[in-house]
């Protein structure tokens, strides 16, 4: 696995969408403007699979539409660096509902990505860890993902390069943002 940098040489792309004037900016620039401009949306992944709408100047945006903007940027970065990409794996919170998973695939289609598979974020982390250790792991492991919006945990069995998910669960509204809100009170 290798991290692909975006056009600004960033190794991470925050899931922030900024509608500014007649352009859409995704990533770091939007993250900087979060809370300073009403046209910035973040943490919308929490609303995947729901009917929640984000409003801006009379326009409504769903979490699916906002997610498609992020996926569009990530896909463009990948194709700019690698050329044609035939299959895409998107990581999602382990506690994503069936509806949220369907909407994630729809967001990928809106972004122009056709062949999509989904995997849980803790599972992806376990796969990476097994790869990094050169297949030397053997046993059961707890792998957690404490992100900005969610907290997920998976119990996995790793045998060399084989990773089997034994159990997974999570809380959709227990992440870094929630801790920030509590600390600010």
């Amino acid at each position: 696995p290798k991290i692909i940098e975006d056009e600004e040489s960033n190794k991470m792309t925050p899931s922030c969408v900024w509608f500014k004037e007649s352009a859409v900016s995704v990533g770091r620039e939007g993250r900087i403007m979060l809370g300073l401009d009403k046209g910035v949306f973040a943490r919308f992944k929490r609303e995947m699979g729901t009917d929640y709408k984000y409003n801006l100047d009379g326009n409504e945006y769903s979490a699916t539409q906002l997610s498609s903007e992020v996926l569009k940027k990530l896909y463009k970065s990948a194709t700019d660096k690698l050329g044609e990409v035939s299959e895409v794996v998107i990581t999602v919170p382990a506690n994503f509902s069936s509806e949220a998973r369907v909407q994630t695939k729809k967001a990928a289609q809106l972004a122009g990505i056709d062949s999509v598979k989904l995997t849980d974020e803790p599972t992806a982390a376990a796969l990476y860890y097994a790869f990094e250790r050169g297949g030397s792991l053997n046993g059961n492991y707890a792998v957690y993902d404490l992100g900005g919006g969610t907290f997920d945990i998976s119990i996995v069995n790793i045998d060399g390069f084989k990773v089997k998910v034994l159990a997974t669960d999570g809380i959709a509204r227990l992440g870094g943002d929630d801790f920030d809100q509590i600390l600010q009170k």
Side-chain angles (χ1 to χ4, degrees), residues 18-172:
W18 182 21
F19 293 95
K20 55 178 192 171
E21 298 167 15
S22 61
V24 177
S25 177
V26 173
R28 187 174 178 274
E29 192 177 33
R31 178 70 178 107
I32 291 168
M33 295 304 294
L34 186 61
L36 301 174
D37 188 302
K38 66 177 183 162
V40 179
F41 300 101
R43 304 294 181 235
F44 40 83
K45 192 162 55 169
R46 291 177 167 199
E47 303 302 337
M48 290 297 284
T50 72
D51 293 330
Y52 187 85
K53 300 290 185 197
Y54 297 85
N55 294 297
L56 177 65
D57 300 330
N59 296 310
E60 287 188 339
Y61 301 96
S62 67
T64 304
Q65 290 168 306
L66 297 171
S67 291
S68 76
E69 294 294 336
V70 174
L71 292 173
K72 193 181 304 178
K73 177 173 179 153
L74 295 172
Y75 187 67
K76 181 179 181 330
S77 294
T79 57
D80 285 352
K81 300 282 182 179
L82 302 173
E84 183 180 337
V85 175
S86 57
E87 291 185 65
V88 173
V89 177
I90 299 172
T91 61
V92 296
N95 66 334
F96 250 25
S97 66
S98 295
E99 295 84 5
R101 292 171 189 273
V102 167
Q103 291 304 306
T104 299
K105 286 187 172 188
K106 183 175 179 183
Q109 288 176 333
L110 291 171
I113 306 168
D114 296 321
S115 183
V116 175
K117 296 189 184 335
L118 303 179
T119 191
D120 294 339
E121 290 163 353
T123 302
L127 288 167
Y128 180 77
Y129 188 66
F131 174 81
E132 280 291 301
R133 294 302 207 106
S136 65
L137 297 176
N138 187 355
N140 295 326
Y141 299 86
V143 182
Y144 71 90
D145 172 22
L146 178 57
T150 61
F151 176 70
D152 297 320
I153 187 165
S154 292
I155 307 300
V156 298
N157 176 270
I158 301 176
D159 182 11
F161 291 112
K162 292 189 282 183
V163 176
K164 180 178 179 184
V165 178
L166 304 175
T168 192
D169 203 357
I171 301 172

